[in-house]
Protein backbone atom coordinates (compact mmCIF):
# COMPACT_ATOMS: atom_id res chain seq x y z
CA UNK A 1 0.00 0.00 0.00
CA UNK A 2 1.95 2.96 -1.21
CA UNK A 3 1.22 6.54 -0.31
CA UNK A 4 2.12 9.87 -1.83
CA UNK A 5 3.81 12.86 -0.30
CA UNK A 6 1.95 15.52 1.66
CA UNK A 7 -0.16 18.12 -0.05
CA UNK A 8 -0.79 21.49 1.56
CA UNK A 9 -4.29 22.85 2.17
CA UNK A 10 -3.89 25.27 -0.70
CA UNK A 11 -3.31 22.45 -3.21
CA UNK A 12 -6.37 20.38 -2.32
CA UNK A 13 -8.96 19.74 -5.05
CA UNK A 14 -11.95 22.09 -4.89
CA UNK A 15 -14.28 19.27 -3.84
CA UNK A 16 -12.11 18.47 -0.82
CA UNK A 17 -11.49 22.12 0.08
CA UNK A 18 -15.25 22.68 0.29
CA UNK A 19 -15.39 20.35 3.31
CA UNK A 20 -13.84 23.19 5.32
CA UNK A 21 -17.32 24.77 5.26
CA UNK A 22 -18.86 21.79 7.07
CA UNK A 23 -19.42 21.29 10.78
CA UNK A 24 -20.36 18.34 12.96
CA UNK A 25 -21.42 17.88 16.53
CA UNK A 26 -21.10 15.07 19.02
CA UNK A 27 -23.96 13.16 20.60
CA UNK A 28 -22.16 13.10 23.97
CA UNK A 29 -19.77 15.59 25.62
CA UNK A 30 -16.18 15.44 24.35
CA UNK A 31 -13.61 13.84 26.65
CA UNK A 32 -10.67 15.93 25.43
CA UNK A 33 -8.63 17.98 27.90
CA UNK A 34 -7.49 20.58 25.34
CA UNK A 35 -9.73 23.48 24.26
CA UNK A 36 -11.69 22.76 21.11
CA UNK A 37 -15.04 23.24 19.43
CA UNK A 38 -17.28 20.68 21.19
CA UNK A 39 -19.20 20.73 24.44
CA UNK A 40 -16.90 19.04 26.94
CA UNK A 41 -17.35 17.07 30.14
CA UNK A 42 -15.40 19.46 32.38
CA UNK A 43 -16.59 22.80 33.80
CA UNK A 44 -15.01 25.96 32.43
CA UNK A 45 -15.35 29.71 32.71
CA UNK A 46 -15.55 30.12 28.94
CA UNK A 47 -17.68 27.61 27.11
CA UNK A 48 -21.31 26.58 26.71
CA UNK A 49 -23.94 27.16 29.38
CA UNK A 50 -24.61 23.99 31.35
CA UNK A 51 -26.86 24.66 34.36
CA UNK A 52 -27.65 27.12 37.15
CA UNK A 53 -26.34 26.24 40.63
CA UNK A 54 -26.61 28.05 43.99
CA UNK A 55 -23.95 30.60 44.82
CA UNK A 56 -23.10 28.53 47.91
CA UNK A 57 -22.18 25.63 45.64
CA UNK A 58 -20.11 27.75 43.25
CA UNK A 59 -18.99 30.89 45.14
CA UNK A 60 -18.16 33.06 42.14
CA UNK A 61 -20.11 36.36 42.27
CA UNK A 62 -18.98 37.21 38.72
CA UNK A 63 -21.22 34.40 37.42
CA UNK A 64 -24.42 35.50 39.21
CA UNK A 65 -27.48 35.41 36.93
CA UNK A 66 -29.87 38.03 38.31
CA UNK A 67 -32.79 37.12 36.03
CA UNK A 68 -32.64 33.45 36.93
CA UNK A 69 -32.27 34.34 40.62
CA UNK A 70 -35.34 36.59 40.56
CA UNK A 71 -37.39 33.79 38.95
CA UNK A 72 -36.34 31.19 41.51
CA UNK A 73 -39.35 30.44 43.78
CA UNK A 74 -37.10 29.93 46.81
CA UNK A 75 -35.15 33.15 46.33
CA UNK A 76 -31.88 31.30 45.76
CA UNK A 77 -29.01 33.35 44.39
CA UNK A 78 -28.02 31.44 41.25
CA UNK A 79 -24.81 31.44 39.25
CA UNK A 80 -24.15 30.12 35.76
CA UNK A 81 -22.04 27.01 35.32
CA UNK A 82 -20.51 26.48 31.90
CA UNK A 83 -18.87 23.51 30.29
CA UNK A 84 -15.48 23.84 28.65
CA UNK A 85 -15.33 23.63 24.86
CA UNK A 86 -13.06 20.66 24.19
CA UNK A 87 -11.44 18.80 21.33
CA UNK A 88 -12.16 15.22 20.31
CA UNK A 89 -10.37 12.56 18.27
CA UNK A 90 -11.69 11.81 14.79
CA UNK A 91 -10.95 8.49 13.10
CA UNK A 92 -11.62 8.14 9.35
CA UNK A 93 -11.96 4.43 8.50
CA UNK A 94 -12.19 3.22 4.89
CA UNK A 95 -13.17 -0.24 3.65
CA UNK A 96 -10.77 -1.18 0.82
CA UNK A 97 -12.27 -4.55 -0.11
CA UNK A 98 -12.69 -5.52 -3.77
CA UNK A 99 -16.23 -4.20 -4.17
CA UNK A 100 -14.95 -0.68 -3.45
CA UNK A 101 -13.28 -0.74 -6.89
CA UNK A 102 -16.67 -0.95 -8.63
CA UNK A 103 -17.39 1.55 -11.39
CA UNK A 104 -20.97 2.33 -12.36
CA UNK A 105 -22.21 5.90 -12.59
CA UNK A 106 -19.01 6.86 -10.75
CA UNK A 107 -15.69 5.39 -9.70
CA UNK A 108 -16.51 4.22 -6.15
CA UNK A 109 -12.91 4.24 -4.89
CA UNK A 110 -12.38 7.77 -6.15
CA UNK A 111 -15.52 8.89 -4.30
CA UNK A 112 -14.29 7.12 -1.13
CA UNK A 113 -10.85 8.74 -1.44
CA UNK A 114 -12.24 12.27 -1.82
CA UNK A 115 -14.79 11.72 0.96
CA UNK A 116 -12.09 10.49 3.36
CA UNK A 117 -9.81 13.41 2.53
CA UNK A 118 -12.70 15.87 2.87
CA UNK A 119 -13.74 14.53 6.28
CA UNK A 120 -10.11 14.66 7.46
CA UNK A 121 -9.86 18.27 6.23
CA UNK A 122 -13.11 19.17 8.02
CA UNK A 123 -11.94 17.59 11.28
CA UNK A 124 -8.56 19.30 11.23
CA UNK A 125 -10.12 22.68 10.46
CA UNK A 126 -12.43 22.12 13.45
CA UNK A 127 -9.39 21.84 15.72
CA UNK A 128 -9.62 18.08 16.31
CA UNK A 129 -6.95 15.44 15.90
CA UNK A 130 -7.64 13.07 13.02
CA UNK A 131 -6.37 9.66 11.89
CA UNK A 132 -6.86 7.37 8.88
CA UNK A 133 -7.29 3.58 8.83
CA UNK A 134 -7.98 1.64 5.62
CA UNK A 135 -7.91 -2.04 4.78
CA UNK A 136 -9.60 -5.33 4.02
CA UNK A 137 -7.76 -8.70 4.14
CA UNK A 138 -4.11 -7.76 4.65
CA UNK A 139 -2.21 -5.41 6.91
CA UNK A 140 -4.16 -2.15 7.25
CA UNK A 141 -2.91 1.28 6.25
CA UNK A 142 -2.77 3.60 9.26
CA UNK A 143 -1.91 7.28 9.59
CA UNK A 144 -1.78 8.19 13.28
CA UNK A 145 -3.72 10.96 15.03
CA UNK A 146 -2.33 14.40 14.22
CA UNK A 147 -3.17 18.02 13.44
CA UNK A 148 -0.94 18.48 10.38
CA UNK A 149 -2.17 21.02 7.85
CA UNK A 150 -1.08 18.64 5.11
CA UNK A 151 -3.08 15.67 6.42
CA UNK A 152 -5.96 15.80 3.90
CA UNK A 153 -3.41 15.74 1.10
CA UNK A 154 -1.66 12.80 2.76
CA UNK A 155 -5.00 10.95 2.83
CA UNK A 156 -5.48 11.62 -0.90
CA UNK A 157 -2.00 10.30 -1.65
CA UNK A 158 -2.23 7.24 0.58
CA UNK A 159 -5.64 6.08 -0.67
CA UNK A 160 -4.81 7.04 -4.25
CA UNK A 161 -1.89 4.61 -4.07
CA UNK A 162 -4.11 1.71 -3.00
CA UNK A 163 -6.03 -0.77 -5.14
CA UNK A 164 -9.10 -2.22 -3.37
CA UNK A 165 -8.81 -6.00 -3.11
CA UNK A 166 -9.97 -8.92 -0.99
CA UNK A 167 -13.36 -9.98 0.27
CA UNK A 168 -12.74 -10.34 4.02
CA UNK A 169 -12.18 -7.58 6.55
CA UNK A 170 -9.70 -9.23 8.90
CA UNK A 171 -7.11 -6.53 8.29
CA UNK A 172 -9.58 -3.70 8.79
CA UNK A 173 -10.81 -5.27 12.03
CA UNK A 174 -7.18 -5.47 13.22
CA UNK A 175 -6.75 -1.78 12.40
CA UNK A 176 -9.89 -0.94 14.36
CA UNK A 177 -8.67 -2.95 17.34
CA UNK A 178 -5.48 -0.84 17.35
CA UNK A 179 -7.34 2.48 17.63
CA UNK A 180 -6.90 4.47 20.85
CA UNK A 181 -9.34 3.45 23.57
CA UNK A 182 -10.42 7.01 24.36
CA UNK A 183 -13.88 7.51 22.84
CA UNK A 184 -13.92 9.68 19.74
CA UNK A 185 -15.93 10.06 16.57
CA UNK A 186 -15.57 7.50 13.74
CA UNK A 187 -16.44 8.18 10.11
CA UNK A 188 -16.75 4.70 8.54
CA UNK A 189 -16.76 4.75 4.71
CA UNK A 190 -17.91 1.62 2.86
CA UNK A 191 -20.35 0.29 0.29
CA UNK A 192 -21.37 -2.34 2.90
CA UNK A 193 -21.50 -4.96 0.16
CA UNK A 194 -20.60 -7.65 2.71
CA UNK A 195 -23.24 -9.56 4.72
CA UNK A 196 -25.10 -7.68 7.48
CA UNK A 197 -23.37 -9.90 10.07
CA UNK A 198 -20.04 -8.28 9.14
CA UNK A 199 -21.55 -4.82 9.55
CA UNK A 200 -22.74 -5.94 12.97
CA UNK A 201 -19.17 -6.98 13.85
CA UNK A 202 -17.75 -3.67 12.64
CA UNK A 203 -20.31 -1.64 14.61
CA UNK A 204 -19.70 -3.76 17.69
CA UNK A 205 -15.93 -3.24 17.46
CA UNK A 206 -16.52 0.52 17.28
CA UNK A 207 -19.15 0.66 20.03
CA UNK A 208 -17.03 2.82 22.36
CA UNK A 209 -16.95 5.55 19.71
CA UNK A 210 -19.55 7.87 18.19
CA UNK A 211 -20.04 5.94 14.95
CA UNK A 212 -21.10 7.72 11.74
CA UNK A 213 -21.34 5.32 8.74
CA UNK A 214 -21.16 6.62 5.16
CA UNK A 215 -22.74 4.21 2.68
CA UNK A 216 -21.51 4.59 -0.91
CA UNK A 217 -24.30 3.69 -3.32
CA UNK A 218 -24.34 3.69 -7.11
CA UNK A 219 -27.63 4.12 -8.95
CA UNK A 220 -26.44 2.10 -11.96
CA UNK A 221 -25.02 -0.84 -10.00
CA UNK A 222 -27.89 -0.98 -7.51
CA UNK A 223 -30.59 -0.91 -10.20
CA UNK A 224 -29.33 -1.93 -13.68
CA UNK A 225 -31.55 -0.72 -16.54
CA UNK A 226 -34.15 -3.42 -17.35
CA UNK A 227 -33.37 -3.61 -21.05
CA UNK A 228 -31.75 -6.29 -23.16
CA UNK A 229 -28.01 -5.98 -23.66
CA UNK A 230 -24.63 -7.16 -22.43
CA UNK A 231 -23.60 -5.86 -19.02
CA UNK A 232 -20.35 -6.08 -17.06
CA UNK A 233 -21.14 -7.09 -13.48
CA UNK A 234 -18.80 -7.40 -10.49
CA UNK A 235 -19.42 -9.81 -7.63
CA UNK A 236 -19.71 -7.70 -4.49
CA UNK A 237 -17.80 -10.15 -2.27
CA UNK A 238 -15.07 -11.54 -4.53
CA UNK A 239 -14.62 -8.64 -6.95
CA UNK A 240 -14.76 -11.01 -9.95
CA UNK A 241 -16.14 -9.56 -13.17
CA UNK A 242 -18.55 -11.37 -15.45
CA UNK A 243 -20.46 -10.52 -18.61
CA UNK A 244 -24.17 -11.30 -18.59
CA UNK A 245 -27.08 -10.75 -20.93
CA UNK A 246 -29.17 -8.22 -19.05
CA UNK A 247 -32.92 -8.61 -19.46
CA UNK A 248 -35.95 -7.33 -17.52
CA UNK A 249 -36.35 -10.47 -15.39
CA UNK A 250 -32.67 -10.46 -14.36
CA UNK A 251 -32.73 -6.72 -13.63
CA UNK A 252 -35.81 -7.20 -11.42
CA UNK A 253 -34.15 -10.09 -9.57
CA UNK A 254 -31.00 -7.98 -9.11
CA UNK A 255 -33.08 -5.12 -7.71
CA UNK A 256 -34.93 -7.41 -5.25
CA UNK A 257 -31.63 -8.81 -3.99
CA UNK A 258 -30.26 -5.28 -3.49
CA UNK A 259 -33.37 -4.28 -1.55
CA UNK A 260 -33.14 -7.35 0.70
CA UNK A 261 -29.47 -6.63 1.33
CA UNK A 262 -30.27 -3.01 2.23
CA UNK A 263 -33.04 -4.06 4.63
CA UNK A 264 -30.65 -6.37 6.46
CA UNK A 265 -28.17 -3.55 6.95
CA UNK A 266 -30.88 -1.13 8.07
CA UNK A 267 -31.82 -3.57 10.83
CA UNK A 268 -28.19 -3.79 11.96
CA UNK A 269 -27.69 -0.02 11.95
CA UNK A 270 -30.93 0.45 13.87
CA UNK A 271 -29.86 -2.11 16.48
CA UNK A 272 -26.67 -0.11 17.07
CA UNK A 273 -28.52 3.21 17.21
CA UNK A 274 -26.88 4.69 14.10
CA UNK A 275 -28.18 5.89 10.77
CA UNK A 276 -25.88 5.91 7.72
CA UNK A 277 -25.34 8.91 5.49
CA UNK A 278 -26.03 7.61 1.97
CA UNK A 279 -23.75 9.03 -0.72
CA UNK A 280 -25.48 8.10 -3.97
CA UNK A 281 -23.17 8.61 -6.95
CA UNK A 282 -21.64 12.05 -6.36
CA UNK A 283 -20.89 13.84 -3.06
CA UNK A 284 -23.37 16.65 -2.38
CA UNK A 285 -21.60 18.87 0.19
CA UNK A 286 -24.74 20.87 1.09
CA UNK A 287 -26.76 17.74 1.87
CA UNK A 288 -23.80 16.30 3.72
CA UNK A 289 -23.78 19.26 6.12
CA UNK A 290 -27.44 18.67 6.97
CA UNK A 291 -26.81 14.94 7.50
CA UNK A 292 -23.84 15.56 9.81
CA UNK A 293 -25.88 17.91 12.01
CA UNK A 294 -28.83 15.51 12.14
CA UNK A 295 -26.50 12.64 13.07
CA UNK A 296 -25.15 14.69 15.96
CA UNK A 297 -28.56 15.32 17.51
CA UNK A 298 -28.83 14.10 21.08
CA UNK A 299 -30.44 10.63 21.37
Amino acid sequence: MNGAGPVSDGLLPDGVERFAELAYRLRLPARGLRPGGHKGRLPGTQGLFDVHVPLTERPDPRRIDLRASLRDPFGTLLVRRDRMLAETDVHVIVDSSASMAAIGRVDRWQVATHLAAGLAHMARRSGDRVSLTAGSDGAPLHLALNRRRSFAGEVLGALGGMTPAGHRLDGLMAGIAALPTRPGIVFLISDFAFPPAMTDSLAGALSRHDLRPFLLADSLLDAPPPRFGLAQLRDAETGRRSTVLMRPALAARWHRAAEAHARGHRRVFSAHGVSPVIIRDQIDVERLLESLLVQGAAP
Side-chain angles (χ1 to χ4, degrees), residues 72-156:
D72 186 82
F74 302 103
T76 307
L77 200 56
L78 299 174
V79 297
R80 294 172 57 92
R81 189 177 71 185
D82 294 344
R83 284 195 187 183
M84 181 183 77
L85 290 174
E87 66 164 7
T88 192
D89 290 340
V90 176
H91 306 286
V92 179
I93 299 178
V94 185
D95 163 24
S96 65
S97 58
S99 63
M100 292 290 285
I103 298 177
R105 296 279 183 210
V106 293
D107 182 326
R108 182 171 289 165
W109 186 243
Q110 185 179 66
V111 172
T113 296
H114 280 78
L115 179 60
L119 293 172
H121 186 47
M122 173 187 67
R124 193 202 65 79
R125 291 291 294 266
S126 297
D128 294 325
R129 297 194 304 171
V130 59
S131 75
L132 172 72
T133 300
S136 57
D137 287 6
L141 165 74
H142 182 67
L143 302 180
L145 284 165
N146 71 92
R147 297 185 181 85
R148 291 190 297 272
R149 290 191 61 202
S150 63
F151 190 66
E154 294 172 35
V155 171
L156 282 175

Side-chain angles (χ1 to χ4, degrees), residues 6-13 17 149-154:
V7 179
S8 70
D9 279 2
L11 297 179
L12 291 174
E17 182 61 50
R149 290 191 61 202
S150 63
F151 190 66
E154 294 172 35

Side-chain angles (χ1 to χ4, degrees), residues 2-293:
N2 299 319
V7 179
S8 70
D9 279 2
L11 297 179
L12 291 174
D14 289 343
V16 173
E17 182 61 50
R18 289 192 63 197
F19 276 73
E21 307 167 11
L22 301 187
Y24 54 97
R25 59 190 179 195
L26 306 182
R27 295 188 181 94
L28 298 173
R31 293 175 177 263
L33 300 178
R34 291 169 55 100
H38 310 285
K39 188 174 183 179
R41 297 170 62 90
L42 301 177
T45 56
Q46 294 183 340
L48 295 176
F49 172 70
D50 185 16
V51 69
H52 285 107
V53 297
L55 179 63
T56 54
E57 180 179 325
R58 184 181 175 87
D60 184 354
R62 297 170 302 174
R63 310 293 295 170
I64 292 175
D65 189 326
L66 291 176
R67 288 187 177 181
S69 300
L70 291 172
R71 290 195 301 267
D72 186 82
F74 302 103
T76 307
L77 200 56
L78 299 174
V79 297
R80 294 172 57 92
R81 189 177 71 185
D82 294 344
R83 284 195 187 183
M84 181 183 77
L85 290 174
E87 66 164 7
T88 192
D89 290 340
V90 176
H91 306 286
V92 179
I93 299 178
V94 185
D95 163 24
S96 65
S97 58
S99 63
M100 292 290 285
I103 298 177
R105 296 279 183 210
V106 293
D107 182 326
R108 182 171 289 165
W109 186 243
Q110 185 179 66
V111 172
T113 296
H114 280 78
L115 179 60
L119 293 172
H121 186 47
M122 173 187 67
R124 193 202 65 79
R125 291 291 294 266
S126 297
D128 294 325
R129 297 194 304 171
V130 59
S131 75
L132 172 72
T133 300
S136 57
D137 287 6
L141 165 74
H142 182 67
L143 302 180
L145 284 165
N146 71 92
R147 297 185 181 85
R148 291 190 297 272
R149 290 191 61 202
S150 63
F151 190 66
E154 294 172 35
V155 171
L156 282 175
L159 296 182
M162 293 178 66
T163 300
H167 58 278
R168 299 191 315 274
L169 296 180
D170 303 349
L172 188 60
M173 291 292 285
I176 289 172
L179 292 177
T181 56
R182 188 178 85 166
I185 185 170
V186 167
F187 295 128
L188 174 61
I189 301 171
S190 175
D191 58 359
F192 296 96
F194 35 77
M198 178 54 71
T199 299
D200 186 48
S201 296
L202 283 171
L206 293 165
S207 59
R208 71 168 67 95
H209 301 287
D210 184 350
L211 175 60
R212 313 290 179 88
F214 289 80
L215 192 160
L216 304 187
D218 189 295
S219 58
L220 180 60
L221 298 178
D222 294 342
R227 59 175 180 267
F228 284 97
L230 294 177
Q232 283 276 344
L233 301 181
R234 177 189 290 268
D235 186 280
E237 293 191 47
T238 66
R240 296 195 193 93
R241 290 183 179 274
S242 59
T243 302
V244 301
L245 176 63
M246 186 58 65
R247 52 198 185 279
L250 179 58
R253 190 161 67 247
W254 182 283
H255 182 68
R256 287 195 299 272
E259 282 293 309
H261 185 81
R263 283 195 301 272
H265 279 84
R266 284 197 294 269
R267 286 193 292 269
V268 170
F269 287 131
S270 177
H272 286 274
V274 298
S275 178
V277 174
I278 299 176
I279 307 292
R280 192 172 302 281
D281 300 335
Q282 300 287 351
I283 300 171
D284 186 326
V285 176
E286 284 75 18
R287 291 188 62 186
L288 190 55
L289 172 60
E290 180 181 351
S291 298
L292 285 169
L293 295 178

